[in-house]
Amino acid sequence: MTTGGALARLIRSTAGRAAADAEVCELCAAPVPEDHAHLHDAEEERVRCVCGPCSVLFDRGGADEGRYRLVPRRRLRLPAVGTDVLGVPVGLVFFVPRADGTVTAEGPSPAGAMRWEVDAAAWRRLTRTCPPLATVAPEVEALLVNTVHGADHHWIVPVDDCYRMVAVVRRHWRGLSGGGAIWPAVEQFFAGLTERS
């Protein structure tokens, strides 16, 4: 066995693993860049990665037939929103209006997102006090809130941002209370959010 042959095999196997780990469009299997679009799959209640050409099919409801909705990219920072009227006892949470008029609250945990239903009438009252909330697109946008340890973050974001935040919590959670690394990681996540239309 020559060194060149072993090195060539190592390069090929590493390239094969990198290709296997690369994200692909979940509709056509084309490679997608790191900052790719997402579709909300209403049937499976999950977000799917999608390439640019496939995302065009679902822009403005083109080919969706109700199952898929393109997740918008809008992020809007809001002034403090009095979410205590929604009866959610946690400070790190996101609220997702649903197509049927219900609203769910989801909070991250070491096991993923915990979900519970919010009083829809309370949500409607809240949208009257904060009009931008009335523009949140059902299923694909959310009100993301962090008031833990005196933080004051209130954002309208795409739901994929919410799932990224849940992943941050899961990745950094240690022990029963989360450990010392979780809150700096959450704060870093919020510091990285930027407004976009």
Side-chain angles (χ1 to χ4, degrees):
M1 175 185 326
T2 65
T3 308
L7 181 57
R9 280 192 298 279
L10 177 62
I11 290 170
R12 280 193 303 272
S13 73
T14 303
R17 278 196 302 272
D21 293 342
E23 286 190 279
V24 297
C25 176
E26 293 184 56
L27 297 181
C28 74
V32 294
E34 186 176 331
D35 186 25
H36 56 271
H38 291 100
L39 291 177
H40 177 264
D41 182 337
E43 191 173 292
E44 295 187 18
E45 286 196 29
R46 60 175 280 218
V47 173
R48 296 181 172 277
C49 298
V50 65
C51 67
C54 285
S55 72
V56 172
L57 296 172
F58 300 93
D59 191 22
R60 296 182 180 86
D64 66 356
E65 297 182 10
R67 178 172 179 176
Y68 297 114
R69 287 197 58 202
L70 188 62
V71 176
R73 298 186 43 80
R74 172 176 77 144
R75 284 189 194 133
L76 177 64
R77 186 170 188 136
L78 301 173
V81 178
T83 56
D84 53 326
V85 300
L86 300 176
V88 176
V90 295
L92 181 58
V93 65
F94 58 97
F95 300 91
V96 182
R98 301 295 174 178
D100 64 2
T102 61
V103 179
T104 57
E106 299 187 40
S109 78
M114 302 176 300
R115 180 189 285 193
W116 56 99
E117 197 163 318
V118 171
D119 179 37
W123 175 261
R124 286 191 299 274
R125 286 191 299 274
L126 187 61
T127 63
R128 288 193 290 274
T129 65
C130 182
L133 292 180
T135 69
V136 174
E139 312 287 350
V140 292
E141 288 187 312
L143 168 62
L144 176 60
V145 176
N146 179 18
T147 58
V148 177
H149 302 302
D152 185 22
H153 299 288
H154 299 83
W155 289 82
I156 293 174
V157 297
V159 292
D160 52 0
D161 278 348
C162 300
Y163 298 134
R164 282 190 317 108
M165 185 266 302
V166 170
V168 166
V169 170
R170 288 188 71 182
R171 188 174 326 119
H172 291 90
W173 192 283
R174 300 292 179 269
L176 294 175
S177 64
I182 184 147
W183 298 115
V186 167
E187 199 51 45
Q188 182 178 6
F189 170 84
F190 278 92
L193 293 180
T194 56
E195 287 196 282
R196 62 188 187 201
S197 54

